[in-house]
Amino acid sequence: IFDIGKSDYTSIWFRQIINWELRFVNFHQSNRKDPSDHARIIREMGYVIGTIWLPHDAKAKRYGSKLTVEEQFRELFPGVSVRITPRLSILDGIAAARTVFPSCWIDPANCADGLTALRHYRWEIDPETKMFSRVPLHDEYSDAADAFRYAAVTSKIRTGRAQPVGLNVPGTNAPQEGFRTLPSRSLELARPNPTLFGPDNSCGWMK
């Protein structure tokens, strides 16, 4: 699941869905990369990719190409479902993220940078009232958090395509090559706790 930036960070969450549990098995973030660079990064992860979710602005032409970002990814990943995340308001996306937290398992090692971003995601301070506004602060943490919002928004959309990354094949006891086994850890974000909050106890997901 992508949040795409050029000068800003491009953030990618690698998610699998098993029995309505959302398992975030890896996270990558970089900037000044083209779709071909991201394709190489994804392939190097070694996962079996079912669907690539792009933000709504992927329908625009960028990176000096005659093709839209969506069209570039379709060319780079033939046979893979490339879809656009439904466009919701930021507040609706945050609400969606809150609802999926109890169903999330996040690999604490592979997704360490993503978890740090979620912990630091917070509201802007209104310069007049000196209170939290209803607009998230755009900083080095917000791109990863935006991508997580998109993961929440798409979590209940069934694609009808190849199984998502890491999903064990029904009827087998072991995953195929490129798939992740079941996690041994308990849910990382099952219950809110102080360590998940950003500065001033203001994590945008929880408050």
Side-chain angles (χ1 to χ4, degrees):
I1 301 99
F2 276 79
D3 179 64
I4 295 177
K6 186 64 173 179
S7 57
D8 291 340
Y9 286 112
T10 290
S11 299
I12 311 171
W13 288 94
F14 293 81
R15 178 195 67 192
Q16 60 182 4
I17 302 177
I18 300 180
N19 296 330
W20 301 103
E21 182 176 291
L22 308 183
R23 300 178 180 178
F24 293 89
V25 298
N26 220 319
F27 173 82
H28 173 81
Q29 186 166 258
S30 58
N31 63 352
R32 302 186 184 281
K33 302 290 186 183
D34 293 330
S36 59
D37 297 315
H38 296 135
R40 174 183 53 80
I41 291 166
I42 291 172
R43 293 191 179 100
E44 288 176 351
M45 294 285 188
Y47 298 125
V48 176
I49 303 298
T51 302
I52 293 175
W53 287 99
L54 300 174
H56 61 85
D57 56 359
K59 288 184 172 294
K61 295 179 180 178
R62 300 173 66 182
Y63 306 126
S65 173
K66 294 182 179 179
L67 300 176
T68 66
V69 174
E70 179 186 14
E71 291 167 341
Q72 291 180 64
F73 272 95
R74 291 187 187 280
E75 286 194 349
L76 290 165
F77 291 93
V80 173
S81 176
V82 178
R83 301 188 62 176
I84 300 296
T85 300
R87 188 169 187 173
L88 271 68
S89 71
I90 293 177
L91 293 182
D92 285 341
I94 289 175
R98 288 191 183 118
T99 65
V100 303
F101 265 122
S103 302
C104 288
W105 176 88
I106 302 179
D107 188 296
N110 292 344
C111 302
D113 290 340
L115 280 168
T116 296
L118 296 185
R119 293 185 182 108
H120 286 82
Y121 189 59
R122 58 194 187 276
W123 303 110
E124 283 186 351
I125 301 295
D126 189 299
E128 295 184 359
T129 65
K130 307 301 181 183
M131 299 179 64
F132 290 122
S133 69
R134 301 303 290 170
V135 178
L137 178 66
H138 183 71
D139 58 10
E140 66 269 31
Y141 305 112
S142 59
D143 299 302
D146 288 343
F148 192 88
R149 282 196 292 112
Y150 302 149
V153 169
T154 61
S155 63
K156 295 185 179 180
I157 299 176
R158 290 295 177 257
T159 64
R161 300 288 299 228
Q163 295 166 331
V165 54
L167 181 59
N168 288 1
V169 178
T172 65
N173 294 321
Q176 290 183 338
E177 182 180 357
F179 286 85
R180 289 291 297 262
T181 55
L182 299 178
S184 59
R185 305 177 185 87
S186 59
L187 296 184
E188 171 83 6
L189 296 178
R191 295 178 180 84
N193 65 74
T195 63
L196 297 177
F197 297 142
D200 303 320
N201 202 34
S202 59
C203 179
W205 306 114
M206 300 294 184
K207 301 295 284 182

